[in-house]
Amino acid sequence: MAFNYDKYMRPGKLPHIWCPGCAHGIVMKSIIRALDRVGLDKDRTVIVSGIGCASRMPGYVDFNTLHTTHGRSLAFATGVKMADPSLNVICVAGDGDSLAIGGNHFIHACRRNIDITMIVFNNNIYGMTGGQFSPTTPHGKLASTTPYGNPDYAFDVAELSMGAGATYVSRGTVYHAIPLERQIADGITHKGFSVIDALCTCPTTYGRRNKLGSPIDMILWFKDNTVGLKAAQKLSPEELEGKILTGVFRNDIKPEYCEEYQKIIEMAQGAVAGG
Amino acid sequence: MSAVKALKEERVVAEHEGRQITIIPRYCKGCEICVKLCPQSVLEIKDFKVHVARIQDCTECMLCEIRCPDFAIEIAGKGKKGKS
Amino acid sequence: MKGKEVFFQGNEACAEGALYAGCRFFGGYPITPSTEIAEILSNRLPKIGGAFIQMEDEIAAMASIIGASLVGKKSLTATSGPGMSLKLENLGFACITEVPCVIVNVMRGGPSTGLPTGPGQSDVMQAKWGTHGDHPAVVLAPASVQEIFNETVRAFNLAERLRTPVILLTDEIIGHMREKIVIPEEGVLEIWDRSRPDCSPEEFLPYDTSKGIVPPMADFGSGYRHHVTGLNHDASGFPTNKPSLVQPEEERLMAKVTENLDIIEKYEHLKKDGAKVGIVAYGSSARSAKAAIKQAEEEGIPVDFVRPITLWPYPTEPTLEMAGKVDVIIVPEMNLGQMIDEVQRCILGKARVIGVNRVDGDPITPENILEKIREVV
């Protein structure tokens, strides 16, 4: 049975701005289904973004939405969450937005373990500005600013998040849109900082330049080149060569930042009461 | 047999024995993701938009709907997989 | 003024003024010479159920206070020169999205790291034009510890009434100076809150100016779901690039200031019979200027004085009036000549304008100014 996206969409905003074949819409749909699955109150949910293609997503959905400056979504979101910890706060960002210009905010949000869910629309490129290489563009790949191949090495979003202290870390793809939806839902219900590395595609500025085929070729590439964490345990290093691991990398319980701050409030107020 | 009708000029609905495939042409960008994913070749591109060509072959697997990035396809059926 | 007498440092008065005004959120980053404001609020805010957060950088600190303000909390950040440079990015965001908040810049010397522990007044033009694009600027420049308290309260009031960020410019001298001040009792100073919508959530438009130039603002989480973007937007809050909508939006942002000068402008204007010399000074330099005026008077030289307390928008009227009377206007400032250009702009060539400028980390002394007064007389 068809899922009723209209319930969560702002009327009259579609078609969205994304290019034909751009997979951001698949991630957006996964997010909407995840929000529905969790049953979040629209009035009590804030969706925050930065700048870039992915960051246009909040404008389409009927929540409290905040489209901020480049890379800063988590910094704004931290203020929102600290000002009212009872709000559900979700950030959406592209790979350049969240990991290059926003990299500092990203690692510190991980470190604080603040109860925010960060969904990285990871398409390996700066799409909106025309295809410059990003922190997740693989080594050697072509971009408008790496005409001789990318000399940089890419971040592994999951490793970075875990190293920085995020307590829920997963990776999904737009081919595996239902598991992605589940991960996003789990990330939202997780108490603490969650990172979902949502692998998606930019056929227009990345695929064409690197001869990766049509939009569907790029999506099907995930089917053949990713391995679930459980399946990976049974494979040899040779068999895993060049494969991308997907699944839930971490789901830990650790004190959450706003709850810790609430303890500080109680301590400070106790000090007042006790003179 | 399938019948095609337009609702509010925006939604093109194909129907077959209780199954509905709705296309919203204004949302469709003709990327062909749905066409290529469909294991039954139900969908085609005509004039840069998706078009329901063989609704009778649809198994309601939802591959197309879930991965249409443009909110342009909705499948409604009997709620069970397999040919009805 | 009814209240409690205390012996306070300027930065302490700023923190206290913020709490008096209803500040319930502080996002900051350590930087000399403003850090005491953060330290005090890290202690005080949790006691009243507010929140303090030390962010990972100045950019994030500025972002966090905008986020908190969108939820309805009066929010503050405090910094100094290098930190202010970083805050400018999101200051512009607060301007275009019309989010009330207060930014304190305790000015220090030099470009870049400069003189971290020395005073300066070289961020006055940055305060006006620092962030990119056309934008309104409301900047207050107190000159004493008591005034820091009062102007901090006024900064919050103006931010709330105008839905715009307000900058409080102090400097290392008054930030760290201790003076006896009165903390007024609750209710002595008026406190303003932003106007909130009285329509239903369904009818709500976040930038509805049908009832006034400052649109009512709804808190995130209160049921008035809406979109906030740093892109140019229409009344509904959604992006637009229609020339017919962008031009009036930008003009309205500026008009919020120009049409509310009666509540924004504030200055001190002292007139002396027969004065042929005038001084325009602000912040800690104004203190030296006052001492110099007193000494000059003892030497038989009357001097007029204009002290902008609201630095931006600049008080044109008293300056122009003074220029019509005196031959020379002296502008002492701890920079190499910034507000002097503004003074020149508004006096229409009616007087000669000369600066007294120091950027060596020492304050401008009364003697520095007195020398100039004697020279021009």
Side-chain angles (χ1 to χ4, degrees):
Chain A
M1 196 60 196
F3 180 87
N4 181 16
Y5 294 98
D6 288 349
K7 193 176 150 192
Y8 296 96
M9 300 297 286
R10 287 183 165 132
K13 297 295 171 198
L14 290 176
H16 50 58
I17 63 158
W18 298 319
C19 300
C22 166
H24 279 7
I26 306 177
V27 183
M28 172 152 78
K29 285 168 88 170
S30 296
I31 294 172
I32 293 170
R33 292 193 308 274
L35 292 166
D36 184 71
R37 190 189 272 249
V38 177
L40 291 189
D41 179 351
K42 288 197 226 174
D43 285 337
R44 303 294 300 161
T45 302
V46 184
I47 304 183
V48 190
S49 68
I51 293 294
C53 297
S55 291
R56 297 303 281 268
M57 179 266 178
Y60 300 108
V61 290
D62 184 20
F63 294 85
N64 302 282
T65 54
L66 177 57
H67 176 219
T68 70
T69 44
H70 198 13
R72 318 294 177 215
S73 61
L74 284 167
F76 282 85
T78 299
V80 169
K81 185 72 182 175
M82 279 292 278
D84 186 353
S86 71
L87 290 170
N88 310 298
V89 183
I90 295 161
C91 281
V92 294
D95 37 288
D97 190 52
S98 60
L99 302 172
I101 194 164
N104 200 31
H105 312 306
F106 185 88
I107 56 173
H108 288 275
C110 291
R111 175 177 66 81
R112 288 188 195 104
N113 195 35
I114 189 163
D115 190 17
I116 294 171
T117 304
M118 174 65 151
I119 300 149
V120 182
F121 288 53
N122 184 353
N123 62 1
N124 316 100
I125 203 81
Y126 286 88
M128 192 163 271
T129 45
Q132 298 75 34
F133 74 99
S134 86
T136 63
T137 304
H139 181 70
K141 291 289 183 190
L142 298 173
S144 72
T145 46
T146 54
Y148 306 104
N150 182 16
D152 290 22
Y153 289 88
F155 269 142
D156 179 317
V157 179
E159 294 283 351
L160 177 70
S161 310
M162 288 190 285
T167 48
Y168 180 94
V169 178
S170 75
R171 178 180 293 129
T173 85
V174 288
Y175 178 78
H176 308 90
I178 301 291
L180 178 62
E181 167 195 333
R182 251 193 322 265
Q183 289 173 13
I184 295 167
D186 290 348
I188 293 168
T189 47
H190 174 77
K191 191 85 188 163
F193 192 69
S194 310
V195 179
I196 292 97
D197 182 15
L199 302 183
C200 56
T201 59
C202 177
T204 304
T205 74
Y206 182 68
R208 271 204 298 218
R209 192 172 267 115
N210 287 287
K211 299 189 168 39
L212 301 177
S214 67
I216 189 62
D217 293 333
M218 292 179 75
I219 290 172
L220 291 173
W221 186 89
F222 290 129
K223 185 184 171 192
D224 302 328
N225 291 281
T226 58
V227 179
L229 278 177
K230 276 181 194 150
Q233 285 169 357
K234 294 172 197 147
L235 298 177
S236 67
E238 292 75 31
E239 288 169 310
L240 284 173
E241 180 71 29
K243 301 285 190 220
I244 298 169
L245 298 181
T246 58
V248 180
F249 292 82
R250 180 183 282 172
N251 189 358
D252 286 350
I253 295 166
K254 199 178 137 186
E256 189 273 328
Y257 191 76
C258 296
E259 287 183 349
E260 289 298 292
Y261 196 76
Q262 186 54 39
K263 288 182 199 163
I264 285 170
I265 290 176
E266 282 156 23
M267 209 186 300
Q269 292 181 341
V272 172
Chain B
M1 292 300 289
S2 62
V4 178
K5 61 178 178 183
L7 292 174
K8 289 190 286 182
E9 293 179 337
E10 264 209 332
R11 303 168 80 86
V12 179
V13 182
E15 278 181 301
H16 176 76
E17 293 176 4
R19 177 187 307 131
Q20 280 190 345
I21 303 178
T22 306
I23 306 286
I24 304 167
R26 207 168 66 85
Y27 296 174
C28 177
K29 293 171 185 163
C31 70
E32 291 194 324
I33 289 174
C34 58
V35 174
K36 300 284 174 61
L37 275 173
C38 179
Q40 300 290 106
S41 305
V42 171
L43 305 166
E44 281 178 6
I45 295 287
K46 252 189 208 171
D47 298 330
F48 307 104
K49 300 279 182 190
V50 67
H51 174 84
V52 182
R54 284 168 286 275
I55 189 170
Q56 65 279 6
D57 294 342
C58 174
T59 63
E60 297 166 29
C61 70
M62 311 300 269
L63 281 177
C64 63
E65 189 200 285
I66 285 165
R67 292 174 192 76
C68 168
D70 296 300
F71 298 76
I73 301 184
E74 292 168 11
I75 311 285
K78 293 171 183 169
K80 60 174 187 179
K81 285 188 179 179
K83 219 170 176 178
S84 55
Chain C
M1 196 159 60
K2 261 180 103 178
K4 190 172 74 172
E5 279 191 1
V6 291
F7 188 57
F8 259 17
Q9 191 194 52
N11 284 345
E12 226 174 337
C14 177
E16 205 65 44
L19 295 170
Y20 188 94
C23 172
R24 290 297 176 270
F25 184 91
F26 182 94
Y29 187 82
I31 187 166
T32 303
S34 77
T35 307
E36 293 85 1
I37 300 169
E39 288 173 340
I40 293 162
L41 291 173
S42 72
N43 180 302
R44 295 288 300 282
L45 277 168
K47 289 182 181 169
I48 51 170
F52 166 92
I53 188 165
Q54 183 173 311
M55 294 297 285
E56 55 272 15
D57 58 35
E58 297 276 7
I59 299 168
M62 186 65 209
S64 73
I65 70 163
I66 298 170
S69 184
L70 281 163
V71 181
K73 298 284 160 71
K74 290 188 185 177
S75 304
L76 175 74
T77 189
T79 190
S80 184
M84 193 64 196
S85 295
L86 292 169
K87 290 200 194 293
L88 294 173
E89 177 196 58
N90 288 326
L91 179 75
F93 184 85
C95 289
I96 198 169
T97 56
E98 303 181 59
V99 176
C101 53
V102 177
I103 301 99
V104 182
N105 178 0
V106 186
M107 290 185 285
R108 63 192 225 189
S112 187
T113 314
L115 295 169
T117 56
Q121 291 183 314
S122 46
D123 305 345
V124 289
M125 282 293 166
Q126 181 203 46
K128 167 85 170 142
W129 288 123
T131 196
H132 61 274
D134 287 301
H135 55 270
V138 179
V139 181
L140 313 182
S144 70
V145 177
Q146 180 73 59
E147 207 166 71
I148 288 179
F149 180 93
N150 293 28
E151 290 305 298
T152 303
V153 174
R154 200 165 73 93
F156 274 96
N157 285 343
L158 290 173
E160 294 286 316
R161 292 176 78 174
L162 302 171
R163 274 193 73 172
T164 197
V166 174
I167 296 172
L168 188 82
L169 270 187
T170 68
D171 61 61
E172 193 278 333
I173 296 174
I174 50 170
H176 283 158
M177 167 191 292
R178 285 183 186 277
E179 288 181 319
K180 191 177 81 176
I181 69 163
V182 178
I183 306 285
E185 280 176 8
E186 201 183 311
V188 173
L189 299 183
E190 60 176 355
I191 301 299
W192 286 79
D193 287 329
R194 65 193 72 174
S195 80
R196 290 181 164 85
D198 52 13
C199 61
S200 70
E202 291 71 34
E203 296 164 317
F204 176 65
L205 289 172
Y207 299 97
D208 176 13
T209 51
S210 60
K211 285 182 191 157
I213 197 165
V214 182
M217 184 173 173
D219 304 342
F220 272 177
S222 66
Y224 291 79
R225 294 191 303 276
H226 63 285
H227 187 56
V228 175
T229 176
L231 287 162
N232 280 102
H233 41 262
D234 59 20
S236 72
F238 289 99
T240 182
N241 52 13
K242 268 190 200 154
S244 62
L245 293 174
V246 172
Q247 179 91 11
E249 180 203 1
E250 298 246 347
E251 286 176 353
R252 182 178 61 77
L253 293 181
M254 303 302 246
K256 287 197 297 184
V257 171
T258 53
E259 291 183 15
N260 282 296
L261 289 181
D262 54 326
I263 61 166
I264 303 171
E265 269 199 344
K266 194 173 174 186
Y267 54 83
E268 189 182 355
H269 188 181
L270 304 176
K271 303 168 197 178
K272 298 278 163 63
D273 286 342
K276 287 291 150 205
V277 183
I279 294 178
V280 173
Y282 53 92
S284 63
S285 298
R287 302 171 71 99
S288 297
K290 271 195 171 173
I293 289 168
K294 201 175 162 204
Q295 276 174 267
E297 201 171 12
E298 281 164 17
E299 293 177 20
I301 312 169
V303 180
D304 272 10
F305 183 52
V306 169
R307 178 170 73 90
I309 300 169
T310 298
L311 198 60
W312 298 111
Y314 181 82
T316 303
E317 216 172 284
T319 313
L320 185 59
E321 187 192 324
M322 183 164 80
K325 178 182 167 194
V326 303
D327 300 328
V328 183
I329 295 175
I330 299 169
V331 184
E333 43 184 348
M334 285 185 286
N335 57 48
L336 292 176
Q338 294 194 23
M339 290 310 292
I340 192 171
D341 291 349
E342 183 65 14
V343 171
Q344 245 150 358
R345 183 192 67 79
C346 55
I347 64 167
L348 310 169
K350 290 187 174 178
R352 193 155 65 91
V353 184
I354 53 174
V356 175
N357 307 94
R358 276 188 89 156
V359 289
D360 57 1
D362 279 341
I364 294 174
T365 62
E367 288 68 33
N368 293 149
I369 301 168
L370 195 60
E371 265 172 44
K372 195 63 85 178
I373 294 171
R374 291 191 194 116
E375 201 182 300
V376 298
V377 169

